[in-house]
């Protein structure tokens, strides 16, 4: 395997990869090296790419099955589409109080994608199409680093814990109305073990999210305090990487070992990122977080 040209993204996690055109990546060309860096460092930034939805989809497919929430919800085949993360609607921006906007605002809570789905995500691959003049950063924090640095009193109640996840729990923190929408309540509560060991490196990471609402066997309030303290510890300022988007950037992170959030921007300005998540599989260690 030839080495990629990488530099540090954050001193404690992630790599910037230069000298690769993502359109050239194939299963047997560059992808094995990319996947290795992904498993070892949890986040990858490919600056100044130029990928279409098709390129994006082809790249994502090398990581695993494309996450298709519509198909999962309806239990039947639904054509896959790349998901826009965008405030653009009909040539303008969505109203600041519209439910669509509030849903984007829920992305500003520290979270992991898809912990509320029957099959959680392995990875999110995001690329920027339209960026605001200011703000709108995407921030990352490693829960592998967070777990390794965590004091024992916080670690102890988490190390063998099972954490329950629910989409409406994160949505209702932004708006009661958003949290009550049927599409936010369509997934049954989902339990996962709190620690997701990476099967390649053997390193543990805390598997937690804004969707986490309870710790098995603990009172609701006590569980929520523990969840909040653990997220706050993992996202201490010195452990956060804040990405200032340039059009074309591709940012990829390991959902098994990363928390992320969006930052606010001048809302009248359009911001459009395109996102694809891939589902985790057995070879990504999925069985180690499953309860049954
Ligand atoms: C996402 C997400 C944050 C952002 O795409 O899953 O949380 O900065 N995005 O838009
Ligand atoms: Mn997200």
């Amino acid at each position: 395997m030839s080495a990629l040209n990488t530099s540090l993204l954050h001193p404690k996690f992630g790599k910037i990869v230069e000298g690769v055109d993502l359109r050239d990546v194939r299963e047997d060309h560059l992808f094995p090296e990319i996947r290795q860096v992904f498993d070892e460092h949890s986040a990858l930034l490919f600056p100044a790419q130029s990928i279409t939805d098709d390129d994006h989809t082809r790249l994502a497919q090398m990581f695993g099955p494309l996450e298709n929430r519509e198909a999962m919800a309806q239990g039947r085949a639904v054509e896959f589409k790349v998901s826009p993360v965008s405030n653009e609607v009909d040539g303008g921006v969505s109203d600041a109080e519209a439910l669509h906007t509030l849903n984007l605002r829920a992305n500003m809570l520290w979270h992991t994608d898809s912990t509320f789905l029957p099959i959680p995500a392995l990875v999110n691959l995001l690329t920027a199409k339209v960026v605001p003049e200011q703000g709108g950063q995407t921030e990352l924090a490693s829960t592998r680093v967070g777990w390794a640095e965590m004091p024992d009193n916080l670690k102890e109640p988490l190390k063998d814990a099972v954490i329950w996840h629910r989409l409406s729990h994160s949505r209702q923190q932004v708006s009661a109305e958003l949290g009550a929408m049927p599409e936010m309540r369509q997934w049954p509560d989902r339990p996962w073990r709190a620690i997701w060991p990476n099967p390649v490196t053997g390193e543990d990471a805390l598997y937690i999210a804004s969707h986490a609402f309870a710790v098995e066997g603990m009172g609701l309030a006590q569980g929520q305090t523990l969840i909040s303290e653990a997220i706050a510890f993992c996202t201490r300022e010195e452990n956060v990487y804040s990405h200032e988007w340039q059009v074309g950037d591709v940012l990829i992170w390991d959902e098994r070992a990363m928390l992320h959030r969006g930052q606010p921007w001048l809302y009248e300005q359009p911001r459009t990122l395109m996102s694809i998540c891939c589902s985790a599989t057995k070879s990504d260690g999925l069985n180690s977080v499953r309860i049954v």
Side-chain angles (χ1 to χ4, degrees):
M1 252 179 7
S2 63
L4 296 172
N5 173 7
T6 65
S7 52
L8 292 179
L9 183 69
H10 180 279
K12 297 182 185 178
F13 62 86
K15 291 286 182 184
I16 302 170
V17 184
E18 252 135 349
V20 167
D21 183 332
L22 287 173
R23 294 173 298 194
D24 297 336
V25 175
R26 295 189 307 273
E27 201 78 63
D28 60 357
H29 175 64
L30 296 169
F31 186 71
E33 289 90 331
I34 291 172
R35 177 68 206 226
Q36 186 71 25
V37 178
F38 170 82
D39 277 300
E40 287 175 1
H41 301 282
S42 312
L44 292 166
L45 170 65
F46 296 86
Q49 298 287 321
S50 176
I51 59 169
T52 62
D53 282 1
D54 283 350
D55 300 326
H56 194 175
T57 305
R58 219 178 37 78
L59 178 67
Q61 269 164 334
M62 297 181 220
F63 281 89
L66 304 178
E67 182 179 288
N68 187 334
R69 291 189 187 178
E70 281 308 304
M72 271 191 217
Q74 297 181 26
R76 61 181 184 90
V78 176
E79 196 196 343
F80 173 82
K81 283 211 216 64
V82 185
S83 306
V85 180
S86 174
N87 62 340
E88 292 190 272
V89 284
D90 303 328
V93 298
S94 62
D95 192 82
E97 291 307 313
L99 290 173
H100 172 77
T101 311
L102 295 175
N103 202 31
L104 285 177
R105 213 183 292 160
N107 278 346
M108 296 176 190
L109 305 170
W110 282 110
H111 67 285
T112 300
D113 297 314
S114 312
T115 63
F116 49 85
L117 293 182
I119 304 173
L122 166 69
V123 59
N124 192 341
L125 303 96
L126 264 185
T127 186
K129 301 291 179 188
V130 178
V131 301
E133 279 161 39
Q134 258 180 38
Q137 298 89 344
T138 298
E139 299 195 325
L140 301 175
S142 166
T143 61
R144 177 189 287 176
V145 171
W147 183 248
E149 295 180 346
M150 199 172 277
D152 284 342
N153 66 326
L154 198 47
K155 258 183 151 160
E156 193 52 38
L158 284 167
K159 67 179 180 21
D160 298 314
V162 169
I163 298 181
W164 285 83
H165 298 256
R166 175 192 286 169
L167 176 58
S168 62
H169 180 71
S170 58
R171 270 46 196 166
Q172 82 187 13
Q173 293 170 52
V174 172
S175 141
E177 193 191 346
L178 183 69
M181 286 172 73
E183 68 231 64
M184 304 302 167
R185 297 184 163 260
Q186 66 184 321
W187 312 103
D189 296 349
R190 193 59 60 181
W192 303 111
R193 293 191 193 283
I195 301 301
W196 196 327
N198 182 298
V200 174
T201 70
E203 289 162 286
D204 286 343
L206 183 63
Y207 192 58
I208 201 161
S210 56
H211 320 300
F213 71 94
V215 179
E216 180 88 32
M218 234 180 238
L220 264 188
Q222 196 192 353
Q224 285 177 12
T225 302
L226 180 59
I227 289 165
S228 305
E229 286 177 356
I231 293 178
F233 183 83
C234 292
T235 58
R236 292 169 349 272
E237 202 180 332
E238 71 268 25
N239 277 16
V240 171
Y241 168 73
S242 185
H243 186 61
E244 299 273 355
W245 288 102
Q246 304 288 322
V247 170
D249 289 348
V250 176
L251 186 63
I252 297 176
W253 65 82
D254 187 341
E255 301 278 8
R256 301 169 297 178
M258 278 284 157
L259 282 160
H260 68 280
R261 70 172 177 187
Q263 285 287 67
W265 66 96
L266 277 179
Y267 192 71
E268 316 75 62
Q269 300 193 353
R271 176 183 186 264
T272 297
L273 309 177
M274 299 300 283
S275 161
I276 303 181
C277 287
C278 300
S279 298
T281 63
K282 214 169 136 192
S283 62
D284 306 314
L286 181 55
N287 286 350
S288 56
V289 287
R290 266 197 204 289
I291 308 312
V292 281

